[in-house]
Amino acid sequence: AAIPQPASTVVLLRPNANTGFDVYLNRRPDHLDTYAGVFVFPGGRVEESDCSAAMLALTRGLSPFEAQQKLGVSLPKEICLGYWVAAVRELFEEVGIHFLLCGPGTADSSSDALYQRMAERRANLQNGEISFAELLASERVYCDLSRLTYFFHRVTPEHYRVRFDTRFYIAALPPEQTPLASSEEVTESLWISPQLALERFAQNEFPMMPPTVMVLRSLAKYRSWTELRELLDVC
């Protein structure tokens, strides 16, 4: 069996008009080698740079020890925190949403100004012209890991050719930000309630992998946005 690769995924949530909540899903391009054409949550592999000293120095809201305790594993604390970093990085790379805090000396620390600057520099990160740590350091901002709530763990079964050891996080959409409708890694995206997504999946109208379905079933048990935030401590 293939060795599972560490990965992080973010289940982005927002309240809807019916006192409930919707999740953000995007469809992967049909030409990809893995999970082509299916609807997934934003995410990807944990990279070595996510666990580097330079990157971890640019995080706030969670310590390496706290990350290790939340995951409940014996992995090095720095690697545990790297799962959170990867979640923040992948969310920004894939759909343009960032969880960042302005540090002292930031030229313009308003939320709108930071959102605009990061949107303009996202292409530099995607093209490999700059690392995530270098981007944050140049903007004098930090990863706000407190915005992520650890939710779910899944390891791809052994019969799959490509396997992932994935940590799922849930997070509320920042009110001043809007995810991209499409990107290099996204063919289309939509906001949908967990219940409706599951109904469409049951009718073979909405292709999803088992971990995505499992997360949606867990979320569908919550009756309202208020209940979800209170029970899971979603920021």
Side-chain angles (χ1 to χ4, degrees):
I3 297 175
Q5 303 176 54
S8 294
T9 292
V10 182
V11 184
L12 204 59
L13 308 167
R14 72 177 186 184
N16 60 31
N18 301 315
T19 73
F21 57 91
D22 294 333
V23 299
Y24 177 80
L25 286 164
N26 53 50
R27 190 169 71 83
R28 290 171 59 81
D30 294 329
H31 66 270
L32 296 181
D33 293 332
T34 57
Y35 308 149
V38 303
F39 283 91
V40 298
F41 304 113
R45 293 178 176 86
V46 178
E47 299 177 354
E48 185 176 346
S49 59
D50 295 325
C51 311
S52 68
M55 183 65 246
L56 299 188
L58 293 168
T59 64
R60 296 292 185 269
L62 188 74
S63 71
F65 176 76
E66 290 170 331
Q68 185 186 55
Q69 292 296 107
K70 289 178 182 292
L71 295 186
V73 295
S74 59
L75 291 171
K77 295 187 290 292
E78 294 74 17
I79 293 179
C80 292
L81 195 63
Y83 274 95
W84 266 262
V85 173
V88 173
R89 176 183 53 76
E90 285 286 344
L91 185 65
F92 175 61
E93 288 184 357
E94 197 166 316
V95 301
I97 297 299
H98 69 75
F99 295 146
L100 302 176
L101 292 170
C102 292
T106 305
D108 188 339
S109 59
S110 69
S111 298
D112 290 342
L114 177 60
Y115 180 59
Q116 182 62 38
R117 293 203 310 276
M118 294 302 293
E120 293 170 354
R121 302 198 64 183
R122 177 181 162 275
N124 302 125
L125 184 63
Q126 281 285 79
N127 296 333
E129 300 168 9
I130 190 171
S131 71
F132 193 43
E134 291 170 337
L135 175 58
L136 300 191
S138 67
E139 291 288 342
R140 298 181 181 179
V141 295
Y142 300 92
C143 279
D144 184 5
L145 304 184
S146 68
R147 304 290 291 272
L148 298 169
T149 298
Y150 180 51
F151 183 65
F152 185 79
H153 179 217
R154 174 75 172 180
V155 179
T156 309
E158 292 185 357
H159 62 271
Y160 282 86
R161 180 174 58 86
V162 178
R163 302 176 65 209
F164 296 99
D165 181 348
T166 308
R167 307 286 173 167
F168 288 76
Y169 300 86
I170 61 175
L173 174 71
E176 71 279 3
Q177 297 187 41
T178 302
L180 300 171
S182 62
S183 69
E184 300 85 352
E185 303 175 60
V186 177
T187 299
E188 61 176 307
S189 62
L190 78 163
W191 288 97
I192 188 171
S193 71
Q195 295 83 356
L196 181 56
L198 291 170
E199 289 175 10
R200 293 180 62 182
F201 171 74
Q203 296 168 0
N204 295 319
E205 299 175 353
F206 209 71
M208 294 186 290
M209 298 300 292
T212 306
V213 176
M214 294 173 68
V215 170
L216 290 172
R217 286 174 177 164
S218 296
L219 290 173
K221 298 176 183 177
Y222 296 94
R223 294 168 294 181
S224 69
W225 173 246
T226 301
E227 180 185 27
L228 177 71
R229 295 189 67 171
E230 290 176 350
L231 293 180
L232 297 180
D233 193 27
V234 179
C235 294

